[in-house]
Amino acid sequence: MSDLVNKQAVKDYLTGLHDHITDTLEHLDGGGHFHRDTWQREAGGGGDSRVMTEGALFERGGVSFSHVMGDGLPASASAHRPELAGRSFEAMGVSLVMHPRNPYVPTSHMNVRFFVAEKDGADPVWWFGGGFDLTPYYGFDEDCRHWHANARAACEGYGAEVYPRYKQWCDEYFHLKHRNEPRGIGGLFFDDLNEWGFERSFAFMRSVGDHYLPAYVPIVEVRRDHPYGEREREFQLYRRGRYVEFNLVYDRGTLFGLQSGGRTESILMSMPPRVRWEYNWHPEPGTPEAELYERYLVPRDWV
C-alpha cells in the first residue's frame, strides 16, 4: 500500500535538506564555516547542530537536524491529544535561523518536521508541520513580494486555499501578543498535517523545505552590500530583542524542547549573538525605522 508511513524516507529527505542548506549558506557567506556538533539524547536519539559564528555575512546562524525518540511522551504533551498516551514516539526535523550582520539583510527562519506515535495493534498517529518566515529590520516591497511569491509557489498544486490559510496561520502564530505586533512579514506556517494522507502530506512538507533557499538567497544577494552605520546597527539590535521575546515566551518548539529535557544548546542556537532593549522607545515619525512598523509589521497580502 503506497500510503503507509515511511519514516526512513522522511529521514533521508531531512538529512539531505540539512546538507544542502548548510552547503549553500556556507558558500553564500563566503568566509564563515558551520561548526558541526553531533549529539546524543540520553532518552533516545540525537542530532547534528551546525552553527556559524562571525562569518563574513552571517553574524550567527544555526541549521539543526534532530531525530529523537522515546517510550512515551510527558503528560503535558498528550494532555490535548489523549490518543498519544501510552505510545512510543519519534520526532525528526530540520530547523534553522540565520542572523546576518548587515541590518538591511533580514533574519530568516525555517522548520520542517515529522512526528509519529506508535502502539502495538493500533494505527500510527502522525503529522507533518513547519514553514518559514522573514524578519526584516528595514523593509523593501520587492523583497516582501519575492518572499511571499515563493511561499505561494510552495503551495501550488495543493489547492487554492492552502497558501492563504497557511499565510494567515503564520501571521497569527508569529505575533507578539504582549507587544501587539508581528515578528516580521510572515510566510507560511502549518502543523498537524495528515488529512491528505502520508504521501501527499510528505510531498507538501518537501515543497516547503525546498522553497526556503529560493526565497531567501536572492534577497541576501541584493542587500548584503548595502551601506549602513551605527544608527541602523543599533535599530537592528533593538529589533532582535523581539525575536528573543517571541522564542522564549511563545515558540512551541523552544518551549517543548526546554520542558522535555532537550539539549539546551541546540534549542537556543536560534538566539542572536547581540541584542539590546530600550525602555519605552519609539521611532521618530517619517524615518525608515517608523516605516518598518507602519508598512511592514502589519499583516498584508504581498502577492
Side-chain angles (χ1 to χ4, degrees):
M1 194 174 159
S2 63
D3 212 40
L4 291 175
V5 171
N6 188 338
K7 293 183 288 187
Q8 188 60 49
V10 177
K11 184 174 183 179
D12 290 345
Y13 167 74
L14 291 172
T15 55
L17 180 68
H18 190 213
D19 289 338
H20 177 53
I21 288 176
T22 53
D23 290 348
T24 301
L25 293 179
E26 190 168 281
H27 178 75
L28 181 66
D29 185 274
H33 299 281
F34 283 100
H35 169 71
R36 184 169 180 170
D37 182 16
T38 57
W39 49 274
Q40 298 295 318
R41 179 172 173 267
E42 188 174 335
D48 180 355
S49 299
R50 301 177 187 178
V51 178
M52 181 187 296
T53 302
E54 300 297 339
L57 167 66
F58 296 111
E59 189 173 12
R60 166 77 57 76
V63 188
S64 182
F65 166 77
S66 63
H67 179 198
V68 300
M69 59 210 68
D71 294 331
L73 287 161
S76 59
S78 57
H80 300 293
R81 299 190 70 134
E83 73 273 22
L84 300 180
R87 290 173 176 258
S88 63
F89 76 94
E90 289 187 49
M92 61 183 83
V94 169
S95 61
L96 69 86
V97 177
M98 303 303 296
H99 291 290
R101 178 178 287 100
N102 189 318
Y104 287 95
V105 183
T107 286
S108 69
H109 162 257
M110 191 277 291
N111 171 262
V112 283
R113 57 189 180 272
F114 175 65
F115 180 93
V116 59
E118 297 175 289
K119 185 177 181 179
D120 289 342
D123 291 335
V125 177
W126 59 267
W127 65 82
F128 291 94
F132 49 67
D133 67 287
L134 193 71
T135 306
Y137 305 98
Y138 290 90
F140 296 91
D141 284 15
E142 57 269 37
D143 294 355
C144 299
R145 288 193 294 266
H146 173 82
W147 181 259
H148 277 279
N150 277 274
R152 184 176 62 182
C155 302
E156 287 178 1
Y158 294 91
E161 79 288 351
V162 171
Y163 167 69
R165 176 156 54 101
Y166 290 162
K167 176 194 180 296
Q168 181 179 353
W169 198 348
C170 187
D171 289 339
E172 293 172 353
Y173 179 73
F174 291 105
H175 187 84
L176 286 83
K177 300 178 183 66
H178 63 286
R179 300 281 190 181
N180 193 29
E181 65 183 45
R183 188 170 81 173
I185 65 158
L188 297 173
F189 182 86
F190 70 101
D191 207 359
D192 302 317
L193 178 64
N194 59 18
E195 64 266 26
W196 295 338
F198 177 81
E199 289 296 338
R200 186 170 173 82
S201 300
F202 180 26
F204 179 76
M205 187 267 274
R206 295 198 305 271
S207 183
V208 171
D210 292 344
H211 276 83
Y212 164 73
L213 287 173
Y216 189 49
V217 170
I219 296 173
V220 174
E221 290 176 329
V222 168
R223 305 296 167 202
R224 64 181 300 164
D225 295 321
H226 197 295
Y228 68 92
E230 185 179 355
R231 170 191 176 130
E232 292 91 344
R233 176 64 168 167
E234 289 294 294
F235 182 62
Q236 177 198 44
L237 299 184
Y238 173 75
R239 288 298 310 170
R240 281 179 176 177
R242 300 295 204 267
Y243 215 92
V244 173
E245 290 175 23
F246 180 86
N247 278 21
L248 292 182
V249 177
Y250 301 113
D251 187 73
R252 293 180 190 173
T254 302
L255 296 176
F256 177 79
L258 294 175
Q259 292 170 3
S260 62
R263 185 173 186 266
T264 302
E265 288 300 312
S266 295
I267 296 165
L268 297 182
M269 76 175 188
S270 63
M271 295 301 181
R274 294 173 180 84
V275 63
R276 63 190 287 264
W277 278 266
E278 290 287 339
Y279 177 74
N280 200 28
W281 182 86
H282 299 282
E284 291 291 330
T287 61
E289 292 80 12
E291 186 183 38
L292 179 76
Y293 290 86
E294 296 161 1
R295 180 166 179 78
Y296 298 99
L297 295 183
V298 289
R300 57 183 297 176
D301 293 327
W302 287 104
V303 292

